Amino acid sequence: MAYAAVTSLKGTLHLHFLQSQPRFPLQHNQQILISLHQNLGFLQEVLEKSEIAYNNSAMKDLEAEMRDVAFEAEERIEMELSSIYLQSSSIDKACLLRLHGIFKQAVKQTNYLKKKLIKIKSKDQFAKGPSILGRMRQRGLLLGSTSSQPADPERENNITVSKFSKNASKFDSRMVGCDKEFKTILDKLTQQSAEQLQVVSIVGMGGIGKTTLAREVYKDPSITSYFYKKAWVTVSQEYDVEQMLQCFTDCVNPASNDIPHKQRNDNLKASVRKQSRKQRIHNLSGSLRKHLKDQRYLIVMDDIWSTTAWDSVQRCFPDDNNGSRILLTSRLREVAEYASSGNSPLNMPFLDADESWNLYCKVFGKTEFLPVFKLIGRDIVMKCKGLPLAITLVASLLSKTEAAVEKWNNVAENVSRYVIGDSNDACSKILYLSYNQLPHHLKACFLYFGVFPEDYEIHVKKLVRLWAAEGFLRAEDHCNMEELAMECLQDLIDRSLVFVSKQSYNGKMKKVRIHDLLRDLCLREARHENLLYVIGDEKLPYDKKKISCRWISSTSKLHLLPLTECFHKSHSFHCPYTYYFENVEGLFSHFKLLRVVDIERTHSYELRVLNVLANLLIHLRYLALGSSTSGSSILTGTTYFDLELFEFEYWNIQSFIVSGNHVALDFSKTSGICKMPLLRHIYIERIVSLGALPVVHRNLESISWLRPEFCTEDMFTRIPNLKKLGMDGRYGENNLDCFYNFVHLGQLEKLSIKFWYNHNRIHPYSGISWATNFLPNLKKLKFFCTNLAWSDMRLIGMLPNLEVLKLIDAIDRKDRMWEPSEEGFRQLKRLVIEDIFLECWSAVGDHFPLLECLELCECNNLQEIPSDFADITTLALIQLTRCPDSLLASAKLIQEEQYNNYGNALLVRSEKY
């Protein structure tokens, strides 16, 4: 975790000391600070570009040393800064001397680390110097496979045209389920209509069955009869181009298999002596291309990890327009998409419950079990979460275990330990491969998933904000840290380590999750790196054992005060469950270095913790507290809090989130919350008073929920880059001026308005240039509990870039007929209506020319969807929730007409409850 530690320390130095206008200028320490910053930059860059193998013991030891040096220096610097910033009097000279000593020691240590790193790099480059045969021996690369597995004479002798490499895991030999995927791949490989050479790819996490599926297809009789030549090569992470080409040639050239193995090796050695590597590769490439010319062939490249591996051989495959195919398997979507030239890779799914049980039974070789063992077996299968490798491994273990309830229960209670309990186990190796191959900048991102509970769906917006706050992402010039975090998350998804669990209508990810076995890997590695401790995960004598962990996650309701001695240097605290504060100040006064406090549910009266956090934790960057208080009325039982903060210029807060209907915060006693220079997101269920905005705040991107009287011209001109706004009209006067003031929010993309009641029925739209300069970038608009008229939709439809419109109880109940104007909604892609009073909707397809998704909820009086929606060729989904049968029938008619007239596969979904 050296990269994360170095990056975090470098960012801390820049934040406090090295900005153009530093928070804490240290003129006399400037040169030593610059030297330290440069040293860290060197270490960071070398780690980013390092090609030293992850299993290099010297490098692993050095990375651990880098991690400890950087984390310790950062902790000491932040401790001193806490003391300095919280002092009411002048700065203590002793603190400045201590800071100087920390910087001096850190420079000395990083200089030493630089020298060691250069030495290791030099040794590694020298070690890469042996001949091709030497490297082949080192990596175990033998004819028939480019894998780094040990030599296997049996595998060497089984390289034939019709046989694939036996290098695949022994646990991958049983295919159950995936019938749909099998047929899809088979059809793509034998598709008669596409004669040109095509690449078909299978993508998925390690152990999900990519190789098994590819092998089943490879062995299928229809494939054997359809293709004249077949070749299978397992590529793996460490590959050798010459070896791959030799393997391909041996597979497609039957004559080469008649040469005894020893003679072939002797010939190879002689060739090595006489020819250069470049010449040998050139000759093998020509030979392979010659043998494939005018042949209908199938090439399988299993477990490919890089685009360069594909580039090194793809020119050897001729395209004779005869239906030849190449089949790839990879964990990396980037590689699959690169090779597939526009064809979408097949995503391997997890097994469902029935398929998982069938695989379990197949490993046992029987389907009948005593009831008690069947119950335990079902529990084990459920815990494997559809991962074939895990099911096969645990079932294989049980099949050799005595049929004793106690022993089987022990396995059931420790499934993850049996799967990844030993890093040398075959299954553990497969899962660890993906982690070990991660670039340095992604490892902390991946391990961070360990802070969340098992089976937890994580909101993408929350996750990227947390990563940005933690400080382990490298800051790029002119790059938003949250955008960088999104790129990192997408990279982890493309590597099949993280899975999208919920998407928006247009395919954008909203929630993600991680497989339980990968989460266990995260926990294991994060503990090893002294990054994470999960309270309640295991019992430790907290008062005796000191543990220095950056991240704390509480999965239990343990009392935390005894833990302050153990975790006083921690940087983040996560609690996904209801938490009770018994001694707020006593607890958080020890956690002075916290950057992240994320407590999803607490009682509203305990939100007094806000003032404690605000005035103790000057390093805090992400604060999220959720109130779990419930009640029958949102207008009763409200708890008011005055937020009293000081020294705003020292605040590092990026996200300030307090949710709960019964919580109201008053910022009027502060000098203005938006003076905090790094603040990007404010979410408070009810802001009673916001205070003045003394400066223009260019970083603020989202704020909810503002009362209408706060939506002034002065306010909006001081937050010019606001992208998301929520307005709540419940507690104040619905001043129509706020609508006119929206013209100052030129960057606004999302607007939500709730509880707006225009009692005077004076439309707030006259004089607004809807089609030109009024909210020109607005893409999403939501009205909730308002009393608009359907006729108001005419002007809303003129918004030039509006893509999503949600109307949730938004129309006056007396207004029951909607007839859109001729202008319609030119750019609208998603329309959501929840309205029990709407009776008639008269529209034509031209009103919504680009509509993709129509969602109707509780439209109990609406009898049909306009029939002309059958002519909206972009329409892909109609979702009905608690709607009458007649509405479903009209949706089905539209679906049928779309298919008959345009061949579109419109999806219609209906939920009654």
Side-chain angles (χ1 to χ4, degrees):
M1 210 41 56
Y3 183 87
V6 168
T7 301
S8 185
L9 174 55
K10 189 180 173 198
T12 295
L13 294 179
H14 182 267
L15 176 65
H16 293 284
F17 309 112
L18 297 175
Q19 297 185 73
S20 56
Q21 294 182 326
R23 306 268 190 89
F24 196 84
L26 294 173
Q27 289 86 353
H28 301 298
N29 289 281
Q30 208 59 14
Q31 188 54 51
I32 197 169
L33 277 168
I34 292 172
S35 296
L36 178 55
H37 195 265
Q38 288 174 344
N39 282 357
L40 294 170
F42 174 83
L43 296 176
Q44 188 182 49
E45 187 171 353
V46 172
L47 287 172
E48 281 180 343
K49 298 178 180 179
S50 173
E51 295 183 356
I52 301 174
Y54 62 84
N55 56 357
N56 183 307
S57 58
M59 189 63 189
K60 287 173 98 170
D61 292 342
L62 180 60
E63 286 188 26
E65 196 173 351
M66 282 188 208
R67 176 200 66 206
D68 295 342
V69 165
F71 277 156
E72 183 183 359
E74 185 176 39
E75 289 162 3
R76 293 177 64 195
I77 290 168
E78 289 182 328
M79 281 290 190
E80 294 300 333
L81 289 174
S82 294
S83 299
I84 291 170
Y85 287 150
L86 294 175
Q87 284 177 358
S88 55
S89 58
S90 59
I91 297 174
D92 186 358
K93 289 185 178 179
C95 289
L96 297 179
L97 288 174
R98 285 195 296 269
L99 273 176
H100 180 80
I102 296 168
F103 298 148
K104 189 174 180 180
Q105 182 182 2
V107 169
K108 183 179 179 181
Q109 290 173 318
T110 51
N111 279 332
Y112 169 74
L113 292 171
K114 280 174 62 178
K115 291 176 182 178
K116 284 189 71 173
L117 183 56
I118 292 169
K119 188 176 180 180
I120 291 174
K121 278 190 68 181
S122 299
K123 282 186 177 181
D124 183 69
Q125 289 172 353
F126 179 78
K128 291 178 179 178
S131 64
I132 178 65
L133 282 176
R135 290 200 299 273
M136 286 158 55
R137 289 193 194 97
Q138 289 171 7
R139 299 179 182 179
L141 299 178
L142 300 170
L143 294 179
S145 172
T146 63
S147 168
S148 56
Q149 298 299 314
D152 183 349
E154 181 184 349
R155 180 163 66 243
E156 293 176 35
N157 294 324
N158 277 282
I159 303 168
T160 65
V161 176
S162 60
K163 294 185 179 179
F164 51 85
S165 166
K166 293 186 178 180
N167 189 45
S169 167
K170 61 184 178 181
F171 298 116
D172 280 343
S173 59
R174 303 173 176 90
M175 178 170 159
V176 171
C178 298
D179 295 335
K180 179 182 176 183
E181 289 71 29
F182 178 84
K183 186 176 184 305
T184 299
I185 295 295
L186 208 62
D187 289 345
K188 287 186 176 183
L189 294 180
T190 59
Q191 190 176 17
Q192 301 285 344
S193 59
E195 292 298 327
Q196 70 273 22
L197 176 65
Q198 290 193 354
V199 180
V200 179
S201 301
I202 305 172
V203 175
M205 72 173 280
I208 202 169
K210 303 180 298 295
T211 299
T212 304
L213 174 59
R215 185 175 59 238
E216 290 298 309
V217 171
Y218 190 85
K219 294 191 303 182
D220 190 78
S222 65
I223 292 292
T224 303
S225 62
Y226 185 74
F227 293 101
Y228 308 144
K229 300 274 188 179
K230 294 196 301 177
W232 178 296
V233 168
T234 300
V235 182
S236 299
Q237 304 94 322
E238 293 187 21
Y239 66 92
D240 184 278
V241 177
E242 184 177 354
Q243 280 300 108
M244 279 200 291
L245 293 171
Q246 185 67 61
C247 182
F248 281 132
T249 303
D250 288 346
C251 287
V252 299
N253 180 20
S256 67
N257 291 287
D258 297 332
I259 303 173
H261 171 68
K262 184 177 183 304
Q263 183 181 340
R264 251 192 301 153
N265 271 358
D266 290 341
N267 292 343
L268 180 59
K269 290 177 183 177
S271 175
V272 168
R273 288 193 296 268
K274 294 178 181 178
Q275 300 176 346
S276 68
R277 173 177 170 82
K278 184 176 181 181
Q279 187 177 1
R280 292 194 305 273
I281 290 176
H282 176 76
N283 291 342
L284 283 169
S285 299
S287 176
L288 176 58
R289 190 172 181 87
K290 176 182 175 182
H291 287 299
L292 294 177
K293 187 66 177 171
D294 297 325
Q295 301 288 324
R296 183 188 296 145
Y297 59 84
L298 171 64
I299 297 292
V300 178
M301 296 181 69
D302 182 37
D303 196 26
I304 184 169
W305 285 75
S306 70
T307 58
T308 54
W310 167 251
D311 286 338
S312 64
V313 296
Q314 63 107 354
R315 289 189 179 88
C316 302
F317 306 132
D319 183 3
D320 296 315
N321 289 313
N322 58 3
S324 293
R325 296 289 184 267
I326 299 170
L327 178 61
L328 306 183
T329 74
S330 181
R331 304 184 191 192
L332 310 180
R333 172 168 287 275
E334 178 191 12
V335 176
E337 290 180 342
Y338 178 84
S340 296
S341 304
N343 295 328
S344 297
L346 176 87
N347 291 300
M348 279 295 290
F350 292 103
L351 301 180
D352 62 27
D354 291 336
E355 291 169 341
S356 297
W357 178 249
N358 290 340
L359 176 58
Y360 177 88
C361 293
K362 192 166 185 177
V363 175
F364 267 90
K366 63 179 184 178
T367 58
E368 297 297 326
F369 299 88
L370 292 175
V372 63
F373 294 111
K374 183 175 182 178
L375 193 64
I376 297 171
R378 289 278 188 183
D379 181 42
I380 289 171
V381 165
M382 180 190 70
K383 290 178 178 178
C384 289
K385 300 295 172 63
L387 187 65
L389 182 62
I391 297 167
T392 303
L393 182 70
V394 180
S396 297
L397 172 68
L398 279 178
S399 67
K400 299 175 181 66
T401 302
E402 178 188 350
V405 173
E406 183 179 354
K407 291 185 177 181
W408 279 45
N409 274 329
N410 183 55
V411 174
E413 291 167 6
N414 298 278
V415 168
S416 63
R417 183 166 64 84
Y418 283 105
V419 175
I420 60 169
D422 185 343
S423 60
N424 292 318
D425 289 343
C427 186
S428 182
K429 281 183 178 180
I430 290 173
L431 294 178
Y432 264 90
L433 277 177
S434 292
Y435 172 71
N436 289 331
Q437 292 296 320
L438 282 175
H440 283 278
H441 72 279
L442 289 181
K443 287 191 173 181
C445 297
F446 176 65
L447 295 186
Y448 202 79
F449 281 89
V451 307
F452 302 105
E454 202 171 81
D455 298 324
Y456 188 83
E457 286 192 319
I458 309 153
H459 285 275
V460 169
K461 288 180 182 178
K462 173 179 178 176
L463 182 63
V464 298
R465 291 173 186 175
L466 285 170
W467 283 354
E470 290 288 357
F472 50 65
L473 299 177
R474 179 173 183 171
E476 302 285 349
D477 292 338
H478 312 297
C479 181
N480 182 317
M481 289 297 286
E482 291 174 19
E483 292 175 358
L484 180 61
M486 281 293 290
E487 291 177 8
C488 292
L489 177 58
Q490 186 61 58
D491 203 343
L492 290 174
I493 291 169
D494 291 343
R495 291 170 181 271
S496 304
L497 287 169
V498 177
F499 310 100
V500 178
S501 57
K502 185 176 181 181
Q503 293 179 313
S504 63
Y505 78 99
N506 58 358
K508 289 185 178 180
M509 52 186 172
K510 296 183 73 174
K511 293 182 180 181
V512 294
R513 60 179 295 272
I514 191 170
H515 193 279
D516 289 350
L517 294 179
L518 289 175
R519 177 180 176 271
D520 290 329
L521 188 154
C522 289
L523 293 175
R524 181 189 180 112
E525 280 300 302
R527 284 181 192 143
H528 176 70
E529 296 281 357
N530 292 327
L531 278 177
L532 170 65
Y533 192 81
V534 181
I535 300 169
D537 185 60
E538 61 184 15
K539 296 179 180 178
L540 283 176
Y542 299 116
D543 55 336
K544 297 179 181 179
K545 185 170 182 179
K546 290 193 176 184
I547 306 166
S548 179
C549 286
R550 297 280 287 193
W551 312 327
I552 307 173
S553 179
S554 177
T555 60
S556 67
K557 298 176 182 178
L558 293 179
H559 181 45
L560 276 180
L561 275 176
L563 309 183
T564 54
E565 288 293 319
C566 304
F567 301 115
H568 66 285
K569 293 182 180 179
S570 296
H571 280 63
S572 62
F573 176 72
H574 302 262
C575 186
Y577 306 111
T578 302
Y579 189 77
Y580 302 90
F581 295 103
E582 297 177 15
N583 183 345
V584 175
E585 191 163 358
L587 173 62
F588 285 102
S589 62
H590 290 81
F591 292 86
K592 292 182 179 179
L593 303 186
L594 283 179
R595 295 178 178 180
V596 169
V597 174
D598 180 22
I599 300 174
E600 291 201 4
R601 291 192 297 275
T602 186
H603 288 288
S604 60
Y605 62 83
E606 292 171 337
L607 289 176
R608 64 184 184 278
V609 71
L610 278 172
N611 279 318
V612 177
L613 294 174
N615 296 307
L616 283 176
L617 305 181
I618 62 99
H619 299 292
L620 201 61
R621 302 181 184 182
Y622 180 97
L623 173 63
L625 298 174
S627 170
S628 61
T629 306
S630 59
S632 57
S633 172
I634 58 174
L635 296 177
T636 60
T638 300
T639 307
Y640 291 87
F641 293 95
D642 295 333
L643 189 63
E644 301 179 20
L645 307 174
F646 62 91
E647 302 291 2
F648 282 100
E649 61 269 28
Y650 297 144
W651 261 55
N652 297 316
I653 279 283
Q654 300 169 8
S655 299
F656 191 102
I657 303 164
V658 182
S659 59
N661 283 330
H662 298 262
V663 179
L665 267 69
D666 187 345
F667 292 98
S668 60
K669 295 183 180 180
T670 72
S671 59
I673 189 172
C674 292
K675 189 178 177 182
M676 293 185 286
L678 301 181
L679 188 64
R680 298 175 64 85
H681 308 285
I682 303 175
Y683 183 98
I684 298 166
E685 204 67 44
R686 181 178 169 193
I687 300 174
V688 175
S689 178
L690 190 60
L693 291 182
V695 295
V696 174
H697 202 307
R698 300 191 181 278
N699 288 325
L700 193 61
E701 289 190 359
S702 69
I703 183 168
S704 297
W705 292 87
L706 284 181
R707 287 160 59 169
E709 57 263 38
F710 300 155
C711 299
T712 62
E713 177 180 355
D714 182 63
M715 158 74 87
F716 288 160
T717 54
R718 292 180 185 273
I719 46 176
N721 295 318
L722 197 71
K723 293 182 179 179
K724 181 178 179 180
L725 172 65
M727 189 176 75
D728 186 345
R730 271 181 293 187
Y731 305 105
E733 180 183 352
N734 289 338
N735 189 339
L736 301 179
D737 291 341
C738 67
F739 278 90
Y740 294 96
N741 294 329
F742 287 156
V743 73
H744 302 288
L745 298 176
Q747 302 302 314
L748 196 69
E749 296 178 2
K750 300 178 183 179
L751 173 62
S752 297
I753 299 173
K754 63 182 182 180
F755 300 105
W756 172 275
Y757 295 104
N758 183 11
H759 298 293
N760 297 325
R761 303 306 300 152
I762 301 173
H763 298 307
Y765 309 127
S766 58
I768 295 176
S769 302
W770 289 86
T772 53
N773 63 343
F774 183 74
L775 298 178
N777 290 300
L778 191 69
K779 295 179 179 179
K780 296 183 179 181
L781 177 60
K782 178 180 178 179
F783 290 98
F784 175 75
C785 289
T786 60
N787 69 335
L788 300 175
W790 283 115
S791 59
D792 295 335
M793 297 302 108
R794 179 182 67 84
L795 294 172
I796 291 175
M798 294 170 63
L799 290 168
N801 290 297
L802 187 66
E803 295 180 358
V804 178
L805 176 62
K806 296 183 180 181
L807 303 171
I808 313 299
D809 294 327
I811 307 300
D812 189 285
R813 62 180 58 192
K814 296 178 182 178
D815 196 350
R816 304 196 172 193
M817 179 176 178
W818 184 19
E819 185 173 353
S821 63
E822 289 185 8
E823 294 83 1
F825 294 79
R826 298 292 97 187
Q827 302 297 325
L828 199 68
K829 296 179 179 179
R830 183 185 181 203
L831 175 61
V832 181
I833 301 175
E834 183 173 336
D835 191 322
I836 61 173
F837 299 105
L838 178 62
E839 295 178 356
C840 181
W841 184 9
S842 177
V844 296
D846 288 344
H847 290 147
F848 306 93
L850 299 180
L851 192 67
E852 297 175 6
C853 176
L854 173 63
E855 300 175 40
L856 303 177
C857 180
E858 294 186 350
C859 294
N860 298 330
N861 288 303
L862 184 64
Q863 297 303 307
E864 65 176 2
I865 300 169
S867 59
D868 282 1
F869 273 43
D871 295 322
I872 304 176
T873 57
T874 56
L875 191 61
L877 171 66
I878 298 178
Q879 172 73 51
L880 304 177
T881 305
R882 298 185 295 280
C883 288
D885 293 338
S886 60
L887 212 54
L888 175 59
S890 69
K892 291 286 188 182
L893 284 175
I894 292 170
Q895 180 186 44
E896 185 178 349
E897 285 192 46
Q898 283 252 341
Y899 183 77
N900 292 336
N901 296 338
Y902 307 106
N904 292 346
L906 171 64
L907 179 62
V908 174
R909 292 200 298 236
S910 179
E911 297 176 8
K912 286 293 184 183
Y913 305 102

